Amino acid sequence: VWAAKAWREGDPGGTRAGRRPRAGSVPTGFLDVDVTSAPLALECLYTPWAPGTDSDGAPTPQDCPRVFSAGLDLTEMCGRNPAHYAEYWKAVQELWLRTYLSSLVLVAAINGACPAGGCIIALACDCRVLADNPKYHIGLNETLLGITAPFWFKDAYVNTIGHRASEQALQLGYLFPPSEALQVGLVDQVVPEDQVLSTALSEMARWLAVPDHARQLTKNMMRKATADRLLRQRDADIQNFVSFICRDSIQKSLQVYLEKLRQRKG
Ligand SMILES: CCCCCC/C=C/CC(=O)SCCNC(=O)CCNC(=O)[C@H](O)C(C)(C)COP(=O)(O)OP(=O)(O)OC[C@H]1O[C@@H](n2cnc3c(N)ncnc32)[C@H](O)[C@@H]1OP(=O)(O)O
């Protein structure tokens, strides 16, 4: 995700980091900011696995990480205590709200798999460019983990791909391959892997060509109702998450899923 202001001004004290986060590190790894203990300065962020920059601070496309984001860190949702779950979920809400309501132009350059929480951050951007690789699936697959997407994930999905497509994809936990993601409108462009960043930057330029104040007011007008719905119910949403995730059956499902992931690796 490229934050326009940071890019235009050349990392003005931003939080760009060189390391690539491990899979499943949203939210604390995705933007490389510990949102549980620090205010999230989205207005000066680079993607933590920015693929390097040239002397002008513009990105260079030499790195293809295979994983845009593996979604929320499942280890944060397993075997912990209710206070931990509450703090974690508050941080997830905060990350999404700040991304979704940012006045910056945000373009997601999706150069890897993008399930669940990864998809929701991409959906919070203004525009999505996905690399054309059949392994780079995108979507909300929560049901396959035995959990349900919260209402605000669903809202963002519906806003982007419509009610019927969301209903079907959410129930099936469907992860769209690039061609289908484009067809359904989940992403705006699918391009060869080595053109993801250049395309994202062209998109960025297109959005930045619009007068800022008009674009920002329009963005807010389009997004406010969806964000307000969560803002009105933040505490209830946290309580719902905690009681859901604390259930023995849900803990069991998540552990089984994590174990499968680890075995698949071996
Ligand atoms: C009202 C209640 C509401 C509840 C709502 C809760 C919402 C949750 C939203 C989410 O985001 S849930 C997470 C969904 N994510 C996934 O299903 C993705 C799972 N991961 C994969 O499919 C693959 O890892 C990948 C992303 C396709 C990448 O494949 P790759 O082969 O490159 O990596 P792996 O070798 O599989 O994984 C490396 C390593 O990472 C672990 N891991 C992967 N994903 C996660 C994760 N999301 N959380 C924690 N850990 C994850 C995996 O187990 C490996 O670990 P190891 O210890 O190194 O073996």
Side-chain angles (χ1 to χ4, degrees):
V1 179
W2 285 89
K5 193 165 141 199
W7 178 58
R8 280 193 298 187
E9 294 173 6
D11 195 23
T15 51
R16 181 164 44 138
R19 71 181 175 81
R20 178 190 172 217
R22 70 185 176 84
S25 57
V26 167
T28 53
F30 178 80
L31 294 175
D32 206 30
V33 173
D34 183 357
V35 288
T36 59
S37 62
L40 182 64
L42 184 64
E43 275 64 21
C44 49
L45 282 173
Y46 276 106
T47 169
W49 56 92
T53 50
D54 64 18
S55 54
D56 296 326
T60 51
Q62 67 261 27
D63 188 52
C64 292
R66 287 189 310 114
V67 182
F68 174 75
S69 163
L72 302 189
D73 190 338
L74 294 168
T75 64
E76 298 283 343
M77 297 183 227
C78 273
R80 313 282 190 129
N81 61 52
H84 178 91
Y85 296 137
E87 189 184 13
Y88 181 69
W89 198 246
K90 192 173 175 192
V92 175
Q93 290 177 336
E94 189 67 19
L95 173 65
W96 181 76
L97 283 166
R98 293 204 184 205
T99 312
Y100 190 68
L101 291 176
S102 173
S103 60
L104 299 173
V105 173
L106 296 176
V107 178
I110 309 169
N111 51 0
C114 191
C119 175
I120 217 64
I121 292 302
L123 283 177
C125 294
D126 299 296
C127 172
R128 286 156 289 285
V129 178
L130 175 61
D132 193 6
N133 181 321
K135 291 186 179 155
Y136 296 172
H137 289 194
I138 178 168
L140 299 180
N141 62 333
E142 278 80 355
T143 52
L144 298 186
L145 285 68
I147 57 179
T148 55
F151 72 87
W152 42 284
F153 283 32
K154 179 269 294 174
D155 288 346
Y157 223 29
V158 170
N159 290 349
T160 310
I161 64 172
H163 197 280
R164 173 59 189 147
S166 296
E167 184 179 341
Q168 198 172 23
L170 277 170
Q171 289 194 46
L172 294 173
Y174 191 63
L175 289 169
F176 294 86
S179 58
E180 290 181 32
L182 182 64
Q183 199 175 23
V184 78
L186 190 51
V187 299
D188 301 289
Q189 292 203 56
V190 170
V191 298
E193 206 145 351
D194 61 354
Q195 290 170 29
V196 169
L197 275 166
S198 57
T199 308
L201 288 171
S202 300
E203 272 295 342
M204 176 69 81
R206 194 158 79 95
W207 288 68
L208 287 176
V210 177
D212 256 358
H213 66 285
R215 182 192 53 74
Q216 287 168 2
L217 286 169
T218 305
K219 179 171 180 175
N220 189 264
M221 176 178 72
M222 295 301 294
R223 295 189 169 205
K224 190 172 182 309
T226 301
D228 280 352
R229 189 151 177 244
L230 173 59
L231 284 167
R232 277 196 304 273
Q233 307 179 54
R234 268 190 94 159
D235 289 343
D237 183 57
I238 292 171
Q239 288 317 311
N240 186 46
F241 173 76
V242 173
S243 63
F244 182 81
I245 221 74
C246 283
R247 287 187 206 166
D248 286 345
S249 59
I250 299 302
Q251 284 292 309
K252 182 81 190 145
S253 291
L254 290 177
Q255 274 154 11
V256 167
Y257 186 79
L258 260 175
E259 197 44 47
K260 271 192 200 151
L261 278 177
R262 288 172 181 148
Q263 280 172 5
R264 195 178 69 180
K265 194 180 170 196

